[in-house]
Amino acid sequence: MAETLFIPKEATKQDKYEALVPQIEALIGGEPDLTANLANISAALKYGMGFFWVGFYMVKEDQLVLGPFQGPIACTRINLGKGVCGSSWKEARTFIVPDVDQFPGHIACSGDSKSEIVLPIVRADKVLGVLDVDSDKLNEFDEVDQRYLEQIIEMLQITS
């Protein structure tokens, strides 16, 4: 696949995802390196959807540790149950946060982040990491984001 994304400019959010998801699948398909795939997914989501921040945190030694991302610098480590990412890890579920300032214990890596969606990466009933997407607009994320981001997470080949 060429290193160029083709996303319709004047399209709905769903139309953008429907154009982007197969391109991500082609981009990471056949690539066995997890870091490379996480990096390309982050870049594709950031630039394809225009998100403020997109990245992965992976579980390492009882903490979430920052992995590949696109956007401003970020928090490096997050404890279980702390902030939106740590809560998603602890509860093994997706969190859609319309206003991060209203989320108890929110970790403000960037004051420009206004809303967030965090999805756990679960294999064999174990959370291995999370996909974190931030917007600089309030109430940016919904079930459409959740559905397509879950599809992208399922494409990842993670076994441990």
Side-chain angles (χ1 to χ4, degrees), residues 53-64:
W53 193 95
V54 179
F56 291 89
Y57 284 90
M58 303 307 290
V59 176
K60 294 182 181 182
E61 300 175 13
D62 298 323
Q63 287 186 310
L64 288 174

Side-chain angles (χ1 to χ4, degrees), residues 93-112:
R93 70 176 180 92
T94 296
F95 279 77
I96 297 174
V97 182
D99 180 351
V100 295
D101 291 332
Q102 301 303 310
F103 189 87
H106 175 255
I107 300 169
C109 295
S110 170
D112 292 332

Side-chain angles (χ1 to χ4, degrees), residues 85-131:
C85 291
S87 296
S88 179
W89 172 26
K90 181 178 181 180
E91 297 184 28
R93 70 176 180 92
T94 296
F95 279 77
I96 297 174
V97 182
D99 180 351
V100 295
D101 291 332
Q102 301 303 310
F103 189 87
H106 175 255
I107 300 169
C109 295
S110 170
D112 292 332
S113 179
K114 302 296 181 209
S115 60
E116 185 171 11
I117 183 170
V118 179
L119 302 95
I121 302 167
V122 181
R123 298 293 185 268
D125 296 324
K126 182 178 177 185
V127 177
L128 304 177
V130 299
L131 168 58

Side-chain angles (χ1 to χ4, degrees), residues 10-29:
E10 300 299 323
T12 67
K13 181 192 308 192
Q14 182 167 333
D15 291 340
K16 288 180 181 180
Y17 275 119
E18 287 179 2
L20 185 60
V21 168
Q23 293 179 77
I24 290 174
E25 188 170 26
L27 185 64
I28 69 172

Side-chain angles (χ1 to χ4, degrees), residues 136-149:
D136 56 0
K137 299 174 192 80
L138 292 171
N139 203 26
E140 181 77 3
F141 304 105
D142 57 25
E143 295 77 20
V144 171
D145 298 285
Q146 182 175 349
R147 180 172 65 246
Y148 288 101
L149 294 172

